[in-house]
Amino acid sequence: MRTNRVTEGRVIRAKASRTGAACFAALVGLGASGAQAADLAARPAPAAAIDWSGPYLGLQGSAGASFGNYDFGPTTIGARRVPRVATGDATGSRDLGADATTAVGGAFAGWNWQTGAFVYGVEADLVGTNLKRGVRSDAPGFGYEGIDPPFALIREKTGLFGALRGRLGYAFGNNLIYASAGLTAAGGRVLATYPDLDGGPTATASRDVSSLGFTLGAGVQFAVHPHLSLGIDYRYSDLGETRRFDLGTVPGPNGGPVTTRAAFVSNKMMARLTWHPQALVLQPDEDEGPKDSRFSLHGQTTFVNQAVGGFRAPYRGPQSLVPDQAQATTTATLFLGLKLWEGTELYYNPEFSQGFGLSRTLGVAGFVNGEAQKAGAPFPKLRSNRYFVRQTFGLGGETEAVPDGPNSIAGTRDVERITVIAGKFALGDFFDGNLYAHDPRVDFMNWGLWASAAWDFPANLPGFTQGLMVEYNRAAFAVRAAYTQVPKEPSSDVLDPRVFERAGTNIEVEGRYTLPALDQPGRLRLGLFSNVGNTADFRQVVALTQGGAFADINEAVIATRAPRRKSGVYVNLEQALTADLGLFARASANDGRNESLSFTDVDGSISGGLSLKGSAWGRPQDTVGFGASTNTISRTHRAYFANGGLGLLIGDGRLNYSPERAVEVYYAMNLTKGVTVSLDYQHVENPAYNRDRGPADFFGTRLHTDF
């Protein structure tokens, strides 16, 4: 969901790492003879790593991944003293730039030195931004609260940022993880607008300001060519507070000279392309050491930049998609695994996430970024997304190899087995899987394509829940069921502890087969779900509002929420057509009577598409995907939105209903064994089921790495 958006609200299933232990256990070549070599081979060799020493320079930037927080005051207006007012970041209620494109871009240069696996160096950079934040006239204490609509009272714009940083990092394989600290300086302009409350002329004033402060950061870097590397860099900058300065005069008898101070902090996430004049010696992808049968350590990072252009939008509600904007999301996950004893494994997945989906992950029922979540933040936010115990009971007979990967420890297991998982996890880790459309970090990003959109799986805002999952597996089929906590109310980050009164039940049957005509494998999954949560009934709240019991339908929702059941079904097909071409299809539906709890505002969904590997053009690790989806809602759900209701993701204040349709095309280019760059395009008709809005076109880039 991230809320999934869900996902991880998005809720996604971890895929096997493509670099795996190569980053940590690649063997170092030894020029030893006979007995010495045999003796050394008996114990693990240190991990091989690139030598990052030498100069480098490059470009960095993003659209929508830079967030600022301004603080004005205390401010004096004539004889009046106004308390300090913070404008908030990109989610603040007084933020004038929540819908603006917060772009940042520039150049950098530096020098690295390396001792063993440790890398240290110095770097300078210069970036330009267009951050615009301000205090609105309805901010308390300024005396303009009654003016409608509110206007920009005090605004600040950033210009250039410069920084000089020291870096300290650790190299493994073709990768580098580093932390940084140093000095930063920035220039900007503060502007003010003062209308005369007595009807006189409006006064304006501006003031250039500059600040010096400190910066802290961290990043990852991945070599993809002897002279090129890609990376993701996070930067926190604190520029302190300026000296008091004048900002003109408020006209009228209640006005007077204005003085204030301005403080500023920012959070930036940037993609980086680095050129290394001295060629890097890349470590071969195939150099992997032996997998440890007791431990598993893997990680991933995903950076998504996404933008939407202009589209028809004659009116706007509190949860509408906004035209002409860009946003970005970043996640970084560590997958830790420990085998306690044979058959028993313990896993823990801490994850950093940062950024927002477009319009703060609102405005489209089948949202367009599977990495976006309602729990987004302008700064990296750490959560313990998974911690669970897996107990496997082998039932004898044929065995199969278990690969080393995220949340998977190398070994063997019985094909026929019973698996019990208890703890915190994402239901999408085990249910509704699909080889071609299930992981928005590498394949389709639209919520209506990577999941069964009408499946309202229980989850907190990032897409995780707590409970129990049991699976019985055989070669030809598997049956799995889960009983988990639900949120205390729709879109709540708090899970309800009353599991015997309010909980979610999910059951899935998976059949595996080979089509004789194609001689290619396929899987068909049938899922049933039934959740009991604290929700409102659409028919009831519409009747109460239309009958005059409530002036606002959303007040009726809050007043009438009670334990209610939502049930539904999904069917999920994956079918290989050739060794390189695969087909997927999903259909899902729920009863549509009550509010959804966790995922999105969809009561019925049909989706499908194709996934093609690039063998035909000499790039077998690349993937092209094409998919389409149609989402619908029930009649009572339509009446709810038409009367001004707000859902999990959508709410334009009114509704001219039509099904929401989406098409997505992506190309995922595999640069190295662990680095994939994707280009993504989506076209959405009738966003939020509203014929009055759109169509909207979305363009995205995605950098994903496994290590």
Side-chain angles (χ1 to χ4, degrees):
M1 287 172 241
R2 277 154 146 13
T3 246
N4 190 329
R5 323 75 313 37
V6 132
T7 280
E8 256 178 348
R10 270 172 2 38
V11 174
I12 68 170
R13 183 168 68 177
K15 284 193 167 184
S17 170
R18 289 170 293 174
T19 53
C23 302
F24 301 98
L27 297 178
V28 176
L30 297 172
S33 62
Q36 291 175 313
D39 180 62
L40 289 171
R43 59 181 184 270
I50 283 180
D51 185 352
W52 295 88
S53 299
Y56 63 90
L57 59 124
L59 301 174
Q60 60 189 351
S62 67
S66 182
F67 303 92
N69 188 347
Y70 294 101
D71 191 358
F72 293 101
T75 301
T76 61
I77 304 177
R80 290 187 297 132
R81 179 181 175 88
V82 181
R84 179 180 299 273
V85 178
T87 67
D89 51 47
T91 64
S93 61
R94 301 192 188 100
D95 177 20
L96 296 170
D99 304 324
T101 298
T102 52
V104 57
F108 60 91
W111 198 290
N112 287 326
W113 295 269
Q114 186 163 341
T115 303
F118 292 96
V119 180
Y120 48 97
V122 63
E123 178 181 292
D125 68 3
L126 185 68
V127 298
T129 71
N130 71 339
L131 279 169
K132 302 173 184 177
R133 299 289 183 264
V135 177
R136 299 197 321 185
S137 59
D138 56 354
F142 280 87
Y144 297 103
E145 291 91 331
I147 297 180
D148 188 39
F151 60 91
L153 184 65
I154 301 178
R155 294 165 289 156
E156 183 166 355
K157 300 180 180 180
T158 58
L160 290 175
F161 275 80
L164 180 64
R165 308 188 298 165
R167 300 202 311 169
L168 177 63
Y170 181 80
F172 56 96
N174 295 320
N175 315 303
L176 172 65
I177 298 177
Y178 63 86
S180 64
L183 298 176
T184 186
R189 170 168 289 194
V190 178
L191 305 96
T193 302
Y194 308 120
D196 190 333
L197 298 182
D198 299 320
T202 297
T204 60
S206 65
R207 176 71 177 262
D208 291 329
V209 295
S210 59
S211 303
L212 177 67
F214 69 90
T215 180
L216 302 172
V220 290
Q221 202 165 336
F222 311 94
V224 296
H225 180 273
H227 290 285
L228 295 174
S229 64
L230 290 174
I232 303 172
D233 186 86
Y234 165 71
R235 199 85 55 85
Y236 169 81
S237 301
D238 189 330
L239 293 164
E241 187 173 78
T242 66
R243 294 183 178 181
R244 182 168 293 278
F245 54 87
D246 297 330
L247 260 182
T249 301
V250 173
N254 296 318
V258 180
T259 64
T260 190
R261 291 192 180 102
F264 176 64
V265 298
S266 74
N267 295 271
K268 300 183 185 67
M269 191 71 73
M270 293 177 285
R272 291 159 61 101
L273 174 64
T274 305
W275 177 58
H276 303 269
Q278 297 179 8
L280 305 172
V281 181
L282 273 63
Q283 301 301 306
D285 286 338
E286 63 273 17
D287 278 1
E288 295 190 1
K291 304 297 188 298
D292 195 307
S293 61
R294 291 293 306 276
F295 301 95
S296 177
L297 173 61
H298 294 269
Q300 75 82 32
T301 59
T302 305
F303 181 70
V304 176
N305 240 137
Q306 198 168 48
V308 62
F311 55 83
R312 184 166 53 97
Y315 51 86
R316 174 177 169 184
Q319 295 187 171
S320 293
L321 180 70
V322 178
D324 298 313
Q325 57 163 319
Q327 290 291 348
T329 58
T330 307
T331 60
T333 316
L334 196 61
F335 302 97
L336 301 171
L338 170 65
K339 182 177 289 187
L340 301 178
W341 49 81
E342 192 61 35
T344 305
E345 299 160 351
L346 177 66
Y347 294 96
Y348 175 55
N349 296 170
E351 179 172 284
F352 281 102
S353 61
Q354 185 264 353
F356 303 90
L358 294 167
S359 297
R360 203 180 167 216
T361 318
L362 298 172
V364 187
F367 200 73
V368 293
N369 179 359
E371 280 286 276
Q373 52 181 284
K374 292 182 184 177
F379 52 86
K381 192 173 186 178
L382 177 64
R383 287 176 176 262
S384 296
N385 278 344
R386 294 182 184 87
Y387 41 81
F388 61 87
V389 175
R390 175 188 290 144
Q391 177 64 55
T392 303
F393 301 95
L395 301 179
E398 185 181 357
T399 63
E400 63 182 7
V402 179
D404 176 69
N407 294 339
S408 177
I409 299 174
T412 59
R413 64 187 175 193
D414 292 349
V415 172
E416 186 176 4
R417 61 186 181 273
I418 295 174
T419 304
V420 179
I421 291 177
K424 185 177 182 181
F425 48 81
L427 281 168
D429 295 343
F430 314 112
F431 295 82
D432 195 36
N434 196 290
L435 179 64
Y436 307 112
H438 190 55
D439 189 347
R441 290 173 174 167
V442 294
D443 51 57
F444 294 96
M445 296 202 296
N446 189 287
W447 290 20
L449 290 171
W450 62 259
S452 296
W455 174 35
D456 188 31
F457 51 83
N460 60 8
L461 292 184
F464 299 88
T465 184
Q466 296 182 142
L468 182 71
M469 196 283 295
V470 180
E471 178 188 70
Y472 173 64
N473 186 83
R474 298 191 68 175
F477 70 90
V479 180
R480 51 188 70 97
Y483 189 80
T484 61
Q485 290 179 277
V486 297
K488 279 195 169 184
E489 59 185 22
S491 270
S492 173
D493 204 25
V494 180
L495 297 174
D496 199 320
R498 294 166 289 186
V499 293
F500 296 108
E501 303 173 32
R502 306 175 188 181
T505 302
N506 290 267
I507 300 173
E508 182 180 275
V509 179
E510 176 184 314
R512 302 155 186 157
Y513 59 88
T514 298
L515 285 180
L518 299 174
D519 194 28
Q520 295 293 335
R523 299 189 183 202
L524 182 65
R525 301 173 178 89
L526 172 64
L528 304 172
F529 63 92
S530 186
N531 307 322
V532 177
N534 191 36
T535 60
D537 178 276
F538 295 132
R539 188 184 302 275
Q540 181 184 37
V541 297
V542 169
L544 288 171
T545 304
Q546 292 179 342
F550 294 91
D552 186 331
I553 194 171
N554 298 294
E555 295 176 1
V557 167
I558 296 173
T560 61
R561 278 178 177 159
R564 291 185 171 89
R565 183 176 297 276
K566 178 182 283 289
S567 301
V569 61
Y570 63 81
V571 180
N572 176 331
L573 170 70
E574 69 176 64
Q575 177 62 59
L577 303 178
T578 69
D580 292 324
L581 180 63
L583 175 147
F584 71 92
R586 285 185 172 97
S588 57
N590 61 57
D591 53 46
R593 295 193 299 264
N594 308 317
E595 291 179 282
S596 294
L597 274 169
S598 305
F599 191 32
T600 189
D601 306 290
V602 176
D603 298 328
S605 179
I606 298 175
S607 66
L610 299 169
S611 177
L612 175 66
K613 292 295 184 182
S615 300
W617 56 93
R619 295 195 57 85
Q621 301 305 315
D622 291 1
T623 305
V624 177
F626 171 82
S629 67
T630 297
N631 300 323
T632 60
I633 52 177
S634 67
R635 290 186 179 276
T636 55
H637 206 164
R638 299 175 205 175
Y640 171 73
F641 285 121
N643 282 271
L646 299 178
L648 297 179
L649 299 188
I650 63 175
D652 290 331
R654 64 183 88 168
L655 180 65
N656 180 11
Y657 178 76
S658 188
E660 183 183 273
R661 299 183 178 90
V663 173
E664 180 175 3
V665 180
Y666 76 88
Y667 187 95
M669 180 170 57
N670 185 258
L671 300 181
T672 70
K673 193 174 183 181
V675 180
T676 301
V677 173
S678 303
L679 300 177
D680 185 89
Y681 167 74
Q682 297 179 51
H683 176 82
V684 178
E685 300 273 353
N686 311 315
Y689 309 106
N690 199 339
R691 191 176 295 155
D692 293 339
R693 300 180 69 78
D697 295 294
F698 303 83
F699 302 88
T701 59
R702 176 177 57 194
L703 171 62
H704 173 76
T705 64
D706 293 310
F707 52 89

